[in-house]
Amino acid sequence: SDDMLPPIGDDHIWQVDTGFDVTGALHLLEKELGSEAITPGVNCRGSMCPPSGVSRPALPASDAKLSGPHLCTIVAHHQPENTILVDESLTSGGSYWDASAKCPPFSHLALTGGAIGIGMPMAVGAAVACPDRVVINLQADGSGMYTCQSLWTQARERLRVLTIVCFNNAYQILKIELMRQRIQASGPASRSMTDLGDPPLQWEELARGMGVSNVRGARTCGEMSSCMEEALRDLNAPEPSGPWVIVANLT
């Protein structure tokens, strides 16, 4: 709300448009912040340089039940260098940032603002823009329903995309928003607004119905790791067979 914004005088607000000298404005900002003396990789305290050393996280036990943190670890372990990671995993992917911190260089495209449904179409755009790079879409199931028709586009254009559906059968992010607002979903009607289990979504059938032939499901860490290896072998080939969908069962 407005009463939470700090009072700032007009002389502290800079507005820059396309007719302005943007480079000059950035130099003015650099001078104002005293950042001219900061050299990336020398005295930036790690804020502008990659972590020292490249190392992937170790895989969890193959017979362990798949969970959000385990899924993030498996994705970070297997993702190829130069991957484009489209991240709309929401509540299932909170640990991905730490899991991938020392992975080989890759592009991480996250949510813009608080709106949901961007993941699958963003993956389409990334794959069209960079056809030689593997795109991995770490996708929450609830927000994936907003734009699941993107799978048809991926199949039609035979895009180099691996969609990993974080399947927990719930709008978990909406439950968190309700908690933040101190709203208790006590009755069956209100609880049903954040539940996706009645009737349950059949993501494997949805993907096949959109024309995706490479569809897999995983319940354990070992199954998930094997599915990723199979998918990435194909997607890294000169002529991949088409997009892939792996349904990671986190229920």
Side-chain angles (χ1 to χ4, degrees), residues 103-155:
C103 283
F106 68 101
S107 301
H108 191 177
L109 305 182
L111 252 158
T112 55
I116 58 178
I118 194 175
M120 290 186 177
M122 186 189 290
V124 169
V128 170
C130 304
D132 296 329
R133 298 174 66 182
V134 172
V135 178
I136 298 176
N137 175 201
L138 199 53
Q139 179 64 55
D141 56 351
S143 54
M145 287 299 294
Y146 283 56
T147 49
C148 60
Q149 66 269 29
S150 300
L151 294 175
W152 182 86
T153 304
Q154 294 174 20

Side-chain angles (χ1 to χ4, degrees), residues 29-84:
L29 179 61
E30 179 185 44
K31 184 176 181 181
E32 189 74 17
L33 295 175
S35 58
E36 296 168 301
I38 297 177
T39 302
V42 177
N43 60 347
C44 66
R45 298 183 180 179
S47 61
M48 291 185 287
C49 59
S52 58
V54 172
S55 63
R56 298 179 182 273
L59 288 172
S62 61
D63 59 348
K65 187 178 183 296
L66 201 54
S67 65
H70 283 340
L71 174 62
C72 293
T73 297
I74 293 167
V75 172
H77 178 89
H78 286 294
Q79 66 184 48
E81 184 173 351
N82 210 32
T83 290
I84 300 175

Side-chain angles (χ1 to χ4, degrees), residues 6-18:
I8 299 177
D10 289 344
D11 57 334
H12 287 82
I13 300 175
W14 299 354
Q15 292 183 336
V16 178
D17 58 28
T18 54

